Amino acid sequence: MNRQEQKLQTRQRIVDAAFSLLDEDKSLSAMSLREVAREAGIAPTSFYRHFGDINELGLTLVDEAGLALRQLMRQARQRIEAGGGVIDISVDTFMEFITANKNVFRLLLREHTGTSAAFRAAVVREIQHFIEELTDYVILQLKLPRNIATMQAEAMVKLVFSAGAEALDSDDIARRDIAASVKLQLRFVQYGAVKYASR
Amino acid sequence: MNRQEQKLQTRQRIVDAAFSLLDEDKSLSAMSLREVAREAGIAPTSFYRHFGDINELGLTLVDEAGLALRQLMRQARQRIEAGGGVIDISVDTFMEFITANKNVFRLLLREHTGTSAAFRAAVVREIQHFIEELTDYVILQLKLPRNIATMQAEAMVKLVFSAGAEALDSDDIARRDIAASVKLQLRFVQYGAVKYASR
């Protein structure tokens, strides 16, 4: 492993350490550089070889969370192509994702309404990417005009995120109920959008 | 004014002071008792005559925010009875409310996904009340079965809250766009729920 690879690996270790610290009681703004360095097993001074400051790390976490979301959507698409209902598979894939990556999703939810304007803007941008990808998919699948498809995709993402927020604090049984509810709500939105488009 | 009235008035002053401190950069958990006392113009020690600790004040703020939400819904209903579309009037009333009471709404949004389990639970309870009132209204207006009306009301509240979160950081023009989008999305949900119920 050359020096560049080593540097990237340490950087990734810092990112992973920060995600692991973001549990239900700890927000990004309450996280200290010293704490992250300790968790990553590096000296606090080495931190600056990778990030300008703790805020730059925060923005990187938001970017990574957004990337994880888009990978999630691609995973759902592959499963759908293998056969199955779009809404059911998408919600199930999403619920699996947030169960396995609670802190990634918590970061997005919390910073979306958090006290840092920079983090809020970064989260909005990531959610926007997610909505745009879903819009393209809706146009392809349902042949809706773009303006209606955009509204439909935005509503769906908002409902799925709200359901995800509830699911974070829930046990397996409650999570199944939440998944069933949001699937029905997504159907309402889809029926409604199709009906609206056909006026 | 007797002693009891005076006590209630001071209590209200503490609540108002706390709300005024909850701006876009300051969360409930970052607020200190000393700071609230200063803003309310009372000695820090007097605080304890009204609240056991800062967390009890926090839960009171969540209760008051919930109450404000329910009053908002009643105001919207009165306006609807005076004539006008349910969705348009409800969204407009909501947008007026959050523009006039940014910090009340910010509190609900932020603590809904915040780091305190007690505050999260309190916010969920208030939103639940709001959904139940809307469910009763949907049953009355659209004659839908309760299970479908509940799903519809929950989806609508989630969409309106998400739109409200966006509107907090927006100027007047952007806020009008957000209001127009969420009105359309609520129509999708309503059309869809009615269609689903008539299967």
Side-chain angles (χ1 to χ4, degrees), chain A residues 102-121:
Chain A
K102 282 194 171 175
N103 289 357
V104 172
F105 189 61
R106 249 191 208 112
L107 173 86
L108 288 172
L109 281 177
R110 201 168 273 162
E111 299 309 328
H112 193 202
T113 55
T115 50
S116 156
F119 292 163
R120 282 201 300 275

Side-chain angles (χ1 to χ4, degrees), chain B residues 19-187:
Chain B
F19 270 125
S20 78
L21 290 172
L22 279 177
D23 63 12
E24 56 188 73
D25 307 314
K26 185 107 193 167
S27 70
L28 203 51
S29 48
M31 193 162 30
S32 75
L33 191 158
R34 189 163 291 276
E35 216 177 351
V36 175
R38 194 189 316 122
E39 182 75 19
I42 60 164
T45 48
S46 318
F47 180 92
Y48 294 106
R49 259 179 261 145
H50 304 277
F51 299 96
D53 56 24
I54 189 89
N55 283 326
E56 194 186 315
L57 170 63
L59 290 174
T60 303
L61 296 184
V62 174
D63 284 349
E64 296 243 340
L67 181 67
L69 269 187
R70 294 200 294 281
Q71 285 169 343
L72 161 75
M73 190 174 328
R74 275 168 221 143
Q75 195 190 339
R77 281 192 192 190
Q78 278 166 3
R79 289 188 185 178
I80 291 162
E81 277 158 26
V86 175
I87 287 175
D88 288 343
I89 291 177
S90 301
V91 170
D92 291 340
T93 309
F94 186 77
M95 288 292 176
E96 279 169 32
F97 172 78
I98 61 162
T99 311
N101 305 275
K102 282 195 172 179
N103 289 357
V104 171
F105 188 62
R106 247 187 212 116
L107 172 85
L108 288 172
L109 280 177
R110 203 168 272 164
E111 299 309 327
H112 193 200
T113 55
T115 50
S116 157
F119 293 163
R120 282 201 302 274
V123 171
V124 167
R125 206 162 47 232
E126 293 305 327
I127 296 178
Q128 206 48 47
H129 284 161
F130 193 63
I131 291 173
E132 282 161 18
E133 281 211 33
L134 184 59
T135 300
D136 291 340
Y137 193 68
V138 166
I139 291 173
L140 206 70
Q141 295 288 314
L142 301 176
K143 322 279 178 226
L144 296 184
R146 179 164 291 272
N147 60 335
I148 294 175
T150 302
M151 289 295 105
Q152 178 185 340
E154 189 190 276
M156 286 178 144
V157 170
K158 285 176 170 179
L159 291 173
V160 167
F161 270 50
S162 290
E166 281 176 61
L168 278 182
D169 272 343
S170 306
D171 60 20
D172 279 357
I173 296 169
R175 202 175 301 123
R176 267 197 292 274
D177 286 344
I178 294 168
S181 296
V182 74
K183 285 173 185 174
L184 186 55
Q185 290 167 339
L186 296 182
R187 290 201 170 91

Side-chain angles (χ1 to χ4, degrees), chain A residues 1-11 50:
Chain A
M1 192 160 57
N2 65 29
R3 194 175 296 175
Q4 184 57 28
E5 285 169 347
Q6 228 159 24
K7 194 175 173 192
L8 280 175
Q9 204 177 58
T10 307
R11 190 179 194 277
H50 304 278

Side-chain angles (χ1 to χ4, degrees), chain A residues 43-58:
Chain A
T45 47
S46 318
F47 181 92
Y48 295 105
R49 259 178 261 145
H50 304 278
F51 299 97
D53 56 23
I54 189 88
N55 284 326
E56 194 185 314
L57 171 62

